[in-house]
Amino acid sequence: MTRWLQHPPPRGVLLALLAAGLAACFAIEQFGLVDDYVRFVLITFGINIILCVSLNLVNGWMGEFSVGHAGFMALGAYLSACVSVKWLSWGDPLWMFPLAVIGGGLMAGAVGFLLGLLSFKTRGDYLAIITLAFLMIVKSGIENIPYVGGPRGFLGIDNHTTLLWTAVWTVLTLWTIRNLVYSRFGRGIVAVREDEIAANAMGVDTRKAKLTAFVVSSFFGGVAGALFAHQLQFINPSVFDIVKSTEILVMVYLGGVGSLAGSILGATAFTFLSQALQPLGTWRMVILPLILVLLMIFRPRGIMGMREFSWFVPQREFPKKEDKK
Amino acid sequence: MKPLLEVRGVTMRFGGLVALSDLSFDVTPGHAHGIIGPNGAGKTTAFNVITGIYAPTQGDVLFRGESVTGCRPSTIAHRGIARTFQNIRLFRDLTVFDNVRIACDAHARYSWPGAMIQLPSARQAEKETIGRCTDLLEKFGLGNEIHERAGDLPYGSQRRLEIARAMALQPSLLLLDEPAAGMNSAETLNLVEFLGWLRDHFSVTMLLIEHHMQLVMTFCDRITVLDFGKTIAEGTADEVRKNPEVIEAYLGQEDGHE
Ligand SMILES: Nc1ncnc2c1ncn2[C@@H]1O[C@H](COP(=O)(O)OP(=O)(O)OP(=O)(O)O)[C@@H](O)[C@H]1O
Ligand SMILES: [Mg+2]
């Protein structure tokens, strides 16, 4: 993983930007600084970042090809909706909503664990097919549960996903995934991608690495789903289909595999591009997969593939000044 | 002295093909033990069984007196057996530093939730790992290449890096699969010196596969000779050299080449 800049820009600037961003999100909510459409797009943007960086863990850093991320979203969306509408609807949103989001993440993470178990023996194209099957099972499973509305969908979810909550979860996702990637577990995940046999022989518990990648990735997929459900206020099984997964794949492979900066870039480009393409209507359905095909042929690693913006690299990774001589 | 590694009656079948039949030998601590034999004799297969990549059809492998048969390769690596591969298997797209660090990570003890929220213990362990890798790479003469992509290194440095990566596990037994492959005679001479340094500096026991006879005969304390999966001789260099079966099966041809 090479870096963009050899020397890190000052950390303080990043923290200041972060604080300013969060303050801006708070102000926008508090004083209604932007109209509903802009607010909606900004929240979508945050959710897309979470989706993109979490899928990137499996598809980028680990080098597998999962098409099931919308399935984890669905699990998170439905479970969190159950929490906020059916189980804890009496609760104060201030603590109840985070609980619902975490619950959605845990639900998705638990199922991600099972999918991780399947990845022990199966790799590559076959694992991709398994994730596709998983996506279909989740969708038709939900359609057959009357408790959550079956095919008609889940109605009456409150709008709890504020811009501030979205920003908090986005930062939390980026921070924890960054920390994971620059730890022995993250390197184990990357080693699995590079050479599984060598990784094993060098003491990497490749099973644990795969489970970690799947659980963390699906947890945050579930978190994104929970935010999504409380943004739209209405969810329906057909929202979480292969098209949704394809959107996330486009973000990952556009921005760059194995890169936090790439994930943010991909989510940015996708979010604003798809708003711009809105007038095209159903033609978007043609353009999206087409972008994916072109990316896979011409730039399979994306714009920032395997490269990182040095702000996101922990300080300890940079050689000390005296070493430079 | 109690053997460090004991291979007991190991047989490895691939369908109808018997790659190893009833292989038995001991490796004494501190020794360099050579495995030689013609192409396809089953040498690499023996390594793959010892390191847990294959579970043997029959037989047992004991390390420090404990069975490691059927253990996962990562477990065996943690117990103290490290290896290199016949066709270099570096993490080519990663930096030299990260190649070594991945092996070094075997000694770090922190949990993944701890890493994700940057517990001080996890950060401390990370810093220690970085220090250890820097020292190790320095020792292996790769200190100036730490940020290069491993796949971009010249061939000789890649071999050296693969050994450095194995040593990052701090193994008590190092398995080298044809370390001199693709080297000319000057480079091979350097390699002998390097292996000697490795053995003395890290006091590591070695098991090595090598086609280069001179290297094996001068460097190894004991030699096992395989042919078609069977052990045809075992002993010191002199004993093996004089063994008529070995001369017929192997050394005869090899001398012809030179
Ligand atoms: N995974 C496998 N499946 C089937 N056959 C195998 C497998 N691995 C090795 N073999 C066979 O086992 C025999 C021994 O192979 P091995 O690689 O151990 O030989 P070797 O002594 O290392 O030879 P070389 O000097 O060419 O490296 C060969 O006939 C090989 O084709
Ligand atoms: Mg071999």
Side-chain angles (χ1 to χ4, degrees):
Chain A
M1 279 175 277
T2 54
R3 290 171 204 134
W4 236 18
L5 303 165
Q6 268 307 323
H7 293 289
R11 270 309 118 140
V13 179
L14 178 65
L15 293 177
L17 279 177
L18 207 63
L22 288 175
C25 290
F26 177 76
I28 287 173
E29 288 294 347
Q30 203 65 15
F31 309 114
L33 295 184
V34 299
D35 66 29
D36 280 353
Y37 171 72
V38 174
R39 180 176 176 270
F40 188 89
V41 173
L42 287 177
I43 290 175
T44 307
F45 177 40
I47 294 175
N48 282 344
I49 292 178
I50 300 177
L51 287 170
C52 184
V53 72
S54 58
L55 180 64
N56 212 334
L57 198 56
V58 168
N59 285 36
W61 278 285
M62 194 160 74
E64 286 297 350
F65 196 87
S66 166
V67 299
H69 217 50
F72 295 117
M73 247 186 116
L75 293 170
Y78 270 87
L79 194 106
S80 66
C82 283
V83 172
S84 75
V85 177
K86 292 178 188 286
W87 302 337
L88 295 177
S89 56
W90 46 269
D92 183 341
L94 204 61
W95 58 263
M96 185 276 290
F97 182 53
L99 218 61
V101 174
I102 292 170
L106 289 177
M107 171 78 195
V111 177
F113 183 86
L114 298 179
L115 215 56
L117 291 177
L118 293 175
S119 75
F120 288 177
K121 286 259 181 253
T122 319
R123 291 207 64 174
D125 303 346
Y126 297 97
L127 188 61
I129 292 169
I130 288 177
T131 60
L132 180 62
F134 154 77
L135 181 61
M136 286 150 74
I137 291 168
V138 169
K139 185 166 166 269
S140 45
I142 292 171
E143 278 171 356
N144 285 296
I145 303 175
Y147 183 69
V148 295
R152 279 177 304 111
F154 198 129
L155 297 138
I157 307 169
D158 281 330
N159 184 353
H160 289 313
T161 305
T162 61
L163 195 53
L164 190 58
W165 270 129
T166 311
V168 167
W169 277 107
T170 306
V171 171
L172 208 63
T173 308
L174 286 168
W175 185 65
T176 49
I177 289 186
R178 180 206 78 153
N179 294 342
L180 183 72
V181 165
Y182 290 99
S183 76
R184 66 189 177 106
F185 301 97
R187 286 188 291 273
I189 289 167
V190 171
V192 167
R193 176 192 75 208
E194 289 290 311
D195 187 330
E196 198 171 339
I197 290 178
N200 245 312
M202 292 305 124
V204 175
D205 186 339
T206 54
R207 293 183 179 188
K208 196 168 176 193
K210 288 176 183 182
L211 283 179
T212 311
F214 267 100
V215 168
V216 173
S217 165
S218 52
F219 175 87
F220 286 113
V223 164
L227 295 173
F228 180 75
H230 293 82
Q231 175 199 27
L232 287 191
Q233 297 172 261
F234 163 71
I235 47 175
N236 153 337
S238 60
V239 172
F240 305 103
D241 59 357
I242 189 72
V243 175
K244 191 79 206 169
S245 280
T246 308
E247 290 181 4
I248 312 170
L249 289 169
V250 169
M251 289 186 238
V252 170
Y253 293 98
L254 179 68
V257 294
S259 165
L260 294 157
S263 302
I264 297 171
L265 189 67
T268 312
F270 177 84
T271 308
F272 298 106
L273 214 68
S274 66
Q275 291 305 318
L277 293 180
Q278 210 62 268
L280 294 180
T282 38
W283 277 99
R284 279 180 67 231
M285 301 289 208
V286 179
I287 292 174
L288 267 185
L290 199 65
I291 293 179
L292 192 57
V293 169
L294 292 177
L295 277 173
M296 284 307 190
I297 295 172
F298 295 108
R299 189 118 195 169
R301 285 179 158 193
I303 298 168
M304 288 286 292
M306 301 302 163
R307 288 183 303 166
E308 197 57 272
F309 184 51
S310 38
W311 252 349
F312 300 142
V313 179
Q315 201 88 51
R316 58 174 180 265
E317 298 289 322
F318 293 95
K320 291 191 201 71
K321 291 242 165 56
E322 54 268 25
D323 294 352
K324 277 266 103 178
K325 278 180 264 169
Chain B
M1 212 190 303
K2 235 179 117 43
L4 185 64
L5 181 80
E6 300 161 66
V7 177
R8 295 265 162 273
V10 164
T11 296
M12 186 74 224
R13 277 197 203 93
F14 296 110
L17 185 122
V18 185
L20 286 176
S21 86
D22 198 25
L23 174 69
S24 294
F25 65 90
D26 288 350
V27 179
T28 312
H31 271 189
H33 192 118
I35 300 183
I36 59 172
N39 291 105
K43 307 179 294 292
T44 299
T45 305
F47 269 26
N48 288 340
V49 168
I50 294 167
T51 54
I53 291 175
Y54 301 145
T57 319
Q58 260 169 43
D60 213 2
V61 178
L62 301 158
F63 182 62
R64 294 204 186 105
E66 281 174 58
S67 174
V68 291
T69 324
C71 286
R72 292 176 41 70
S74 56
T75 311
I76 293 174
H78 282 260
R79 295 240 187 126
I81 304 182
R83 70 172 291 178
T84 64
F85 294 88
Q86 186 168 354
N87 316 301
I88 306 176
R89 293 189 88 129
L90 288 171
F91 306 121
R92 298 179 58 85
D93 278 339
L94 305 189
T95 59
V96 167
F97 195 73
D98 276 345
N99 266 271
V100 168
R101 180 148 59 155
I102 284 167
C104 234
D105 279 332
H107 297 283
R109 290 272 152 270
Y110 57 86
S111 66
W112 61 268
M116 285 181 79
I117 57 168
Q118 292 280 283
L119 287 184
S121 59
R123 296 166 70 146
Q124 188 54 35
E126 272 300 295
K127 284 196 189 130
E128 280 164 18
T129 305
I130 289 174
R132 248 198 312 234
C133 294
T134 313
D135 292 348
L136 191 80
L137 282 164
E138 211 63 63
K139 274 185 194 160
F140 278 81
L142 291 162
N144 291 325
E145 282 97 4
I146 58 175
H147 291 302
E148 275 181 48
R149 187 178 160 275
D152 292 341
L153 292 182
Y155 181 81
S157 304
Q158 290 194 19
R159 283 248 169 240
R160 189 177 277 262
L161 174 59
E162 212 195 12
I163 296 175
R165 183 179 70 171
M167 292 311 295
L169 278 168
Q170 302 175 4
S172 38
L173 178 65
L174 177 65
L175 274 54
L176 299 169
D177 198 343
E178 303 200 16
M183 289 186 177
N184 62 31
S185 41
E187 287 166 331
T188 309
L189 264 175
N190 279 336
L191 181 72
V192 176
E193 206 173 302
F194 172 68
L195 292 179
W197 168 79
L198 202 62
R199 179 162 66 166
D200 301 339
H201 192 86
F202 295 93
S203 48
V204 66
T205 307
M206 288 188 200
L207 181 60
L208 66 118
I209 296 173
E210 196 36 81
H211 279 298
H212 198 283
M213 274 312 121
Q214 211 185 336
L215 190 159
V216 177
M217 293 294 169
T218 52
F219 187 70
C220 293
D221 303 294
R222 265 192 107 69
I223 296 165
T224 300
V225 191
L226 296 183
D227 194 15
F228 292 113
K230 293 196 179 64
T231 312
I232 56 172
E234 205 205 300
T236 61
D238 278 338
E239 287 162 10
V240 165
R241 217 191 320 246
K242 285 181 194 127
N243 186 307
E245 236 180 307
V246 175
I247 294 169
E248 189 184 338
Y250 191 67
L251 294 182
Q253 323 167 357
E254 192 73 11
D255 285 347
H257 281 307
E258 285 178 22

